[in-house]
């Protein structure tokens, strides 16, 4: 029985596609780069920002830094609030808390933005600790984020006893959880696919938040 549950943010708690894609478009236009189709822009949701610019878009290190700067020009002002909470999330979090579960956030989004989003959409009170990337993104890989949450929230004993479950919507959540020897439940309402989850060894796959119960 899992007693401590770690949630990803983008694609798991909230639907951030509008804000994230608009901020990528702003960054790419500012740099005179070609704008990918919307489906490709949506695939950028989940991985660390610098990884997307470097490995997916093929930017040089200097271009990565410029891209991140332009992205955050837009995202920090309006993009982070071009967002919505998935249907069923509030009710599910409420019921999990009523069952005595301990809830946490583990996201590759910078912590400063994560806290603002959770406060804006009245979700912050559900979580005992919120862990995200630092602004410099030296802590952005999902495995490092999860380890950070385990350490800061003093959950090592729970981790060793198999009491922690990670919830996320991309392969990075699965891989990051497994690197920390934590099982992962993948959710189909986000931006990943069943094929992606099966290929990366998700321990559970659910199609609606209520299935967590």
């Amino acid at each position: 029985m899992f007693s401590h549950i770690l949630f990803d943010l983008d694609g798991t708690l909230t639907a951030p596609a509008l804000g994230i894609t608009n901020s990528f478009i702003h960054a790419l236009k500012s740099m005179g780069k070609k704008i990918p189709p919307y489906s490709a822009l949506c695939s950028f949701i989940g991985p660390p920002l610098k990884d997307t610019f470097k490995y997916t878009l093929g930017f040089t290190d200097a271009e990565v830094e410029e891209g991140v700067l332009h992205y955050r020009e837009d995202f920090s002002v309006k993009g982070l609030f071009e967002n919505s909470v998935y249907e069923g999330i509030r009710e599910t979090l409420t019921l999990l808390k009523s069952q005595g579960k301990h809830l946490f956030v583990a996201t590759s989004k910078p912590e400063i933005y994560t806290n603002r989003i959770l406060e804006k959409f009245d979700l912050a009170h559900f979580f005992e600790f919120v862990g995200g990337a630092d602004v410099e993104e030296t802590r952005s890989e999902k495995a490092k984020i999860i380890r950070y949450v385990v350490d800061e929230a003093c959950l090592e004993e729970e981790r060793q006893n198999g009491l922690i479950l990670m919830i996320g919507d991309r392969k990075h959540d699965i891989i990051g959880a497994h690197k920390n020897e934590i099982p992962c439940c993948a959710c189909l309402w986000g931006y990943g696919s069943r094929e992606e989850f099966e290929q990366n060894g998700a321990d559970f796959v659910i199609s609606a938040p209520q299935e967590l119960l």
Side-chain angles (χ1 to χ4, degrees):
M1 180 69 71
F2 299 111
S3 58
H4 293 65
I5 305 175
L6 278 54
F7 287 87
D8 176 45
L9 178 65
D10 293 341
T12 303
L13 295 173
T14 65
L18 180 61
I20 290 178
T21 55
N22 281 344
S23 294
F24 270 112
I25 289 170
H26 172 80
L28 294 171
K29 280 185 175 179
S30 298
M31 298 175 70
K33 300 288 188 178
K34 182 179 178 180
I35 309 299
Y38 182 73
S39 59
L41 290 169
C42 283
S43 73
F44 299 166
I45 301 171
L49 187 58
K50 286 186 177 181
D51 285 359
T52 298
F53 280 121
K54 184 170 185 176
Y55 301 114
T56 305
L57 293 171
F59 282 15
T60 65
D61 288 345
E63 287 176 327
V64 168
E65 296 303 321
E66 184 181 355
V68 169
L69 180 64
H70 287 304
Y71 176 94
R72 289 181 175 162
E73 284 173 351
D74 186 84
F75 190 81
S76 64
V77 176
K78 61 178 182 177
L80 75 168
F81 296 140
E82 293 176 327
N83 204 341
S84 62
V85 180
Y86 283 110
E87 183 178 354
I89 285 294
R90 292 185 196 280
E91 296 81 0
T92 299
L93 295 176
T94 298
L95 287 168
L96 288 170
K97 291 289 284 186
S98 74
Q99 294 174 357
K101 305 300 183 185
H102 301 272
L103 310 183
F104 307 84
V105 172
T107 173
S108 293
K109 185 180 292 300
E111 217 168 273
I112 187 172
Y113 298 146
T114 301
N115 284 312
R116 290 176 64 191
I117 291 167
L118 294 173
E119 291 288 349
K120 170 71 174 179
F121 293 102
D122 193 30
L123 295 176
H125 63 96
F126 287 111
F127 302 102
E128 298 179 22
F129 181 81
V130 174
D134 51 353
V135 175
E136 296 78 16
E137 295 204 20
T138 57
R139 183 184 67 242
S140 61
E141 182 189 352
K142 203 52 178 273
K144 291 182 179 179
I145 298 292
I146 293 171
R147 184 71 247 181
Y148 168 65
V149 173
V150 169
D151 289 344
E152 293 297 312
C154 301
L155 302 180
E156 179 58 23
E157 183 176 349
E158 287 80 1
R159 187 195 69 81
Q160 291 184 15
N161 290 326
L163 299 177
I164 303 177
L165 179 67
M166 177 72 206
I167 313 293
D169 72 307
R170 296 302 306 273
K171 66 180 182 181
H172 312 86
D173 300 300
I174 302 168
I175 295 168
H178 288 174
K179 283 184 177 180
N180 285 281
E181 299 182 324
I182 292 172
C184 184
C185 177
C187 55
L188 287 166
W189 62 85
Y191 298 95
S193 65
R194 186 177 293 275
E195 180 182 21
E196 178 180 335
F197 301 155
E198 291 175 350
Q199 288 177 348
N200 290 278
D203 301 275
F204 311 95
V205 178
I206 58 175
S207 57
Q210 295 86 344
E211 292 181 35
L212 281 173
L213 301 170

